[in-house]
Amino acid sequence: MKSLMWQRFTRRRSAVVGLVLFALLVAFALFGGFLTRYSYTDTDFLAIGFPPSRGHWFGTNDAGNDLYAQVVHGLQRSLIIALAVAAGTTLIAAVAGSLAAYFGGWVEKATLGVVYLLMVVPSFLILALTANASGGDWRWIIVALIVFGWMMLARVVHSMAVSLREREFVTAARYMGERPWRIVARHIIPNLSSLLVINFALGVVGTVLTETGLSFLGLGVKIPDVSLGSLLQSGVGTIVASPWLFYFPAAVLTLLTVSMTLMADGLRDALDPNAANPTVAEPVEAKPVEAGGVK
């Protein structure tokens, strides 16, 4: 089964390109700092506002900080925030939506009531106020993004889990005396895995863009810490005089979002049960029935 999913994933060349790009970006974030002697907080007073050179590959900013080291650290910070938020929102949505659908009654009403309440709250304003009050602490940004980021997925999970709770394997597990938590964990959530995996990948993209938007407005990660968004915010003001301060972080951010989007498309094809089996779909003329999706 895993090999079949891998074949479906690799059959889409754009997905493979996205996977390679994402792997290179992760490697750059983890090991890129070893290629320079500067830290993202170090100041070179002899190279203030210098363009890219042999000593400073991405140039320096107006404070003399090495932009290459800052981009490496900013990518690390953005990846940590994005992966943590995507994992947290996916987990909460999967558990809350599945439990609400399985139990029904007051549990379903209470869960959906919380979902609808949080959906009408001006979340971006609260996120901005929370980030600003925390002084740009990335940990509080993660908490705030998780709190206001799980509702839409929870609604989708709930609607799909409602149909799953009436399936034969769930009814059989209930008659065998399995506990509700065990039924939800072993029978309902695993059958939603394709939806959850795809939304996790897309959640990484959405979180990166949200964090970038907050930092771009000066309400996200703040100095001395940096993220890709804060680097863009500081570089946009000098885009004419020092364009490298904007274009290098923008290029890394673009590669990150594009790679995750391409991977999400590939995962959608790989996890789609209606996708054609690449090992048996080659002779289309010889097997017209299988190519049409009938087994």
Side-chain angles (χ1 to χ4, degrees), residues 114-135:
V114 173
V115 168
Y116 294 138
L117 176 62
L118 292 177
M119 288 180 64
V120 300
V121 171
S123 57
F124 190 83
L125 177 60
I126 297 179
L127 287 173
L129 293 175
T130 302
N132 188 57
S134 65

Side-chain angles (χ1 to χ4, degrees), residues 200-241:
F200 172 82
L202 294 176
V204 173
V205 178
T207 303
V208 169
L209 295 178
T210 301
E211 185 276 327
T212 300
L214 288 172
S215 298
F216 192 79
L217 294 174
L219 300 171
V221 177
K222 297 181 180 179
I223 297 175
D225 203 356
V226 293
S227 68
L228 293 179
S230 62
L231 291 176
L232 287 174
Q233 190 271 338
S234 60
V236 71
T238 60
I239 193 171
V240 176

